Amino acid sequence: MSACPSNFLTRIFRWTHGFLGFVIIAGCTSDIEKQNNLDSGNLLIVALENLTDRYIEPLQPGAMSINGLKKLIAVDPTLNIDRQETHITLSLDGTTLARHNLPDDSDIHEWADLTVQLMNRARSLSPTLARLSENETHKLLLSGIIENTDKYSRYLPPNAAGRSRETRDGFGGIGAVLDQVNDRVFIRSVTPNNPAAKAGLRENDQITHINGKSILGLSVGRVVKLLRGEVSTPVEIRINRENLEAPLSVTVIRDRVIRQSVVSRHTQNIAIFRIKSFNQGTVRALRASIVKAAKEMGSDLKGVVLDLRSNPGGLLDQAIAVADLFMIKGRIISTKGRHAESNQIFDATPGEVLAGLPMAVLINGRSASAAEIVAAALRDSGRAAIIGSTSYGKGSVQTIVRLPNAAEYHLTWARILAPSGQTLDSQGIVPVICTNISRDKLKNLKTALSGGKENSSAIQNIFRPQAELPHYSKTRKLACPPSSIRPIDDIESAKLLLMNNKIYRSTIAHPPTNLAER
């Protein structure tokens, strides 16, 4: 390594029209230190640029950088960052150790540069900070930067971001669910049309070796990691199978595996489709389940239940496509934000699955975001009756920013508007039939839905025609409070409603829609 002259000048990279350029500061560091500065500076620039450009409300790089630094040094109470009108100081036990003039509040590159300098100075002064790994340092800094925005925007470190990507987009694997009994690992289930199934692996097969190495003593989580890998790569699995005298070795070619998000069944001429979340495979899986149900039940199929209870949401495009499956025209949703690309309108396209069949959507207090988008679209279009308890009320869209360190920012960048113009945030969707009620009222409700005592006064506070139901009121939680459970009463009420055409028609009657235009 060459010596560094005393008058040597160096600086972090900064972005200029998509290219890397130099900014000069006085100093002399080792090659490793220079690279760390470059990496941290680039990471901060990407973070601050995206927050400034894409977040739903205007943000200033200066304020964000100060928040990040304060979060970082908070691990050592002897350190303090103080911002004055014209300068910023770093102090240790009340003694000023660094003082810098403040850049312009909107200058992303200068604030990134200053933040790196102060971060490095603090780490050189504090043994507590110095012991932090690079990932731990970045986690504190970057989570602090976004901490004072809104409750849905967040920083995900590399490992958490990786798991989030796997949930959304899938991963390289074999398509089997494992279970551990004592020290033995078994295949609990095999997903159809995935590598494990194609290779002949079965439920209850015991895995003993992976790529020739015993897995004895390994946790099921470690075994899962060994089975995952790059798409199209092979993994050799040795198994013990009941009724086979000798172990069996199977070579499985990994493929992209997307977690199953749709579960379907049918009962009493009603098809029930539960969507647990919205990932890249949701629409494809739902369409396949619908085709299967229609084929198996034929003309006996009398209604559809879409169960979105405890569905926390997921990918916006999948939610829009799910709603579009059941609609032939009209607005699905619109979004409004500060960034030009966040202002979008999504309308239904011609064509509908299971056209004309009565439909109910189940929601509860844990149905949020993408689940609420689907429920609102089907409600406002008059396509489905909403049953259950008031939904969570998350009326915003997050965009995902991939950072240079493989971490992610999930940034709120748009608000959701239902076709009626209702904003969902903190409001939620009020079901037309509320099942979060006393057992006596629930009994009366089922009696009414089954055709008895339809005009009973005891039912009036439980069931209200859609045309008379306000989309939102301050007393909604008193009228039908959110619930976190998924009672069987919801399914039973939905089946009774779908078989009672008179009441069903009343539940989907709705006033003219006021579209939220761009």
Side-chain angles (χ1 to χ4, degrees), residues 1 58 88 108 113 128 149 156 164 203 276 355 439 461 476:
M1 183 180 299
I88 184 171
I108 291 172
D113 175 19
T128 302
T149 52
L156 272 65
S164 180
E203 181 180 347
K276 296 183 286 186
R439 298 306 302 178
N461 292 327
R476 67 177 176 84

Side-chain angles (χ1 to χ4, degrees), residues 12 46 129 198 274 337 376 400:
I12 64 167
V46 173
L129 285 180
K198 293 176 181 178
R274 183 186 172 211
I400 297 172

Side-chain angles (χ1 to χ4, degrees), residues 155-172 228 256-257 259 400-403 405-410:
Y155 171 76
L156 272 65
N159 287 341
R163 292 191 294 271
S164 180
R165 287 190 289 271
E166 289 177 357
T167 299
R168 296 190 309 265
D169 304 327
F171 51 87
R228 292 185 182 181
R256 181 154 299 281
V257 175
R259 288 190 174 97
I400 297 172
V401 177
R402 183 81 176 268
L403 296 174
N405 63 340
E408 290 179 351
Y409 264 145
H410 290 205

Side-chain angles (χ1 to χ4, degrees), residues 35-100:
Q35 186 60 50
N36 288 340
N37 286 346
L38 295 176
D39 292 344
S40 295
N42 184 38
L43 177 60
L44 278 170
I45 288 171
V46 173
L48 294 175
E49 280 185 340
N50 277 280
L51 277 161
T52 304
D53 184 46
R54 303 170 76 83
Y55 187 68
I56 194 168
E57 302 290 347
L59 296 173
Q60 289 296 326
M64 289 187 286
S65 298
I66 296 295
N67 289 338
L69 285 168
K70 286 185 175 180
K71 177 87 169 183
L72 175 62
I73 69 168
V75 301
D76 186 342
T78 66
L79 291 172
N80 184 58
I81 288 280
D82 186 28
R83 176 176 179 168
Q84 304 295 328
E85 186 174 346
T86 61
H87 61 275
I88 184 171
T89 59
L90 172 67
S91 59
L92 177 68
D93 284 330
T95 301
T96 299
L97 299 176
R99 186 179 186 275
H100 296 267

Side-chain angles (χ1 to χ4, degrees), residues 341-359:
E341 294 178 5
S342 70
N343 296 296
Q344 299 191 48
I345 290 174
F346 302 94
D347 290 330
T349 56
E352 176 189 357
V353 297
L354 304 178
L357 282 180
M359 184 175 183

Side-chain angles (χ1 to χ4, degrees), residues 104-415:
D104 186 279
D105 248 1
S106 61
D107 193 325
I108 291 172
H109 300 88
E110 289 296 330
W111 272 106
D113 175 19
L114 178 57
T115 301
V116 171
Q117 292 184 64
L118 290 171
M119 177 184 71
N120 289 341
R121 182 65 170 147
R123 286 172 61 84
S124 70
L125 296 169
S126 168
T128 302
L129 285 180
R131 283 193 293 269
L132 296 177
S133 68
E134 184 179 60
N135 278 341
E136 290 170 331
T137 302
H138 288 158
K139 179 181 178 180
L140 288 168
L141 184 66
L142 294 170
S143 61
I145 282 174
I146 201 173
E147 195 167 56
N148 294 329
T149 52
D150 68 286
K151 63 181 179 180
Y152 301 119
S153 295
R154 63 193 188 276
Y155 171 76
L156 272 65
N159 287 341
R163 292 191 294 271
S164 180
R165 287 190 289 271
E166 289 177 357
T167 299
R168 296 190 309 265
D169 304 327
F171 51 87
I174 68 169
V177 177
L178 306 185
D179 196 9
Q180 191 164 26
V181 180
N182 297 324
D183 290 333
R184 299 187 298 172
V185 175
F186 293 89
I187 295 178
R188 188 172 68 190
S189 63
V190 176
T191 307
N193 301 316
N194 272 271
K198 293 176 181 178
L201 294 177
R202 302 177 187 174
E203 181 180 347
N204 295 324
D205 283 346
Q206 179 196 350
I207 298 176
T208 62
H209 293 71
I210 296 177
N211 289 332
K213 296 182 179 180
S214 172
I215 64 165
L216 184 64
L218 298 183
S219 67
V220 68
R222 180 58 184 159
V223 174
V224 167
K225 288 182 179 180
L226 292 174
L227 292 175
R228 292 185 182 181
E230 294 294 325
V231 171
S232 300
T233 60
V235 56
E236 183 184 356
I237 304 171
R238 188 184 305 173
I239 62 169
N240 289 332
R241 177 177 295 169
E242 190 175 355
N243 299 325
L244 284 183
E245 293 183 1
L248 179 65
S249 289
V250 178
T251 298
V252 183
I253 306 299
R254 298 181 179 99
D255 201 351
R256 181 154 299 281
V257 175
I258 299 176
R259 288 190 174 97
Q260 185 178 12
S261 62
V262 178
V263 178
S264 64
R265 62 187 177 94
H266 49 80
T267 176
Q268 299 177 0
N269 301 329
I270 302 295
I272 302 170
F273 305 105
R274 183 186 172 211
I275 302 180
K276 296 183 286 186
S277 64
F278 292 87
N279 61 24
Q280 288 290 2
T282 298
V283 173
R284 182 173 64 251
L286 179 59
R287 186 183 288 110
S289 296
I290 291 171
V291 169
K292 181 180 179 182
K295 181 178 180 180
E296 291 178 352
M297 301 178 70
S299 60
D300 291 333
L301 181 57
K302 303 300 182 186
V304 178
V305 175
L306 191 63
D307 188 352
L308 301 179
R309 293 174 299 173
S310 300
N311 181 322
L315 298 178
L316 175 65
D317 62 338
Q318 293 289 306
I320 292 167
V322 166
D324 197 16
L325 283 178
F326 301 99
M327 297 170 60
I328 57 174
K329 63 179 180 179
R331 182 66 37 84
I332 294 176
I333 208 74
S334 59
T335 61
K336 287 187 175 294
R338 188 168 59 92
H339 193 283
E341 294 178 5
S342 70
N343 296 296
Q344 299 191 48
I345 290 174
F346 302 94
D347 290 330
T349 56
E352 176 189 357
V353 297
L354 304 178
L357 282 180
M359 184 175 183
V361 175
L362 307 185
I363 60 173
N364 66 1
R366 296 172 64 191
S367 303
S369 192
E372 293 175 294
I373 288 174
V374 174
L378 297 179
R379 174 199 67 185
D380 290 352
S381 66
R383 181 62 186 90
I386 311 299
I387 298 174
S389 64
T390 300
S391 64
Y392 180 82
K394 181 182 179 294
S396 60
V397 179
Q398 282 68 48
T399 186
I400 297 172
V401 177
R402 183 81 176 268
L403 296 174
N405 63 340
E408 290 179 351
Y409 264 145
H410 290 205
L411 306 181
T412 295
W413 85 325
R415 292 186 176 89

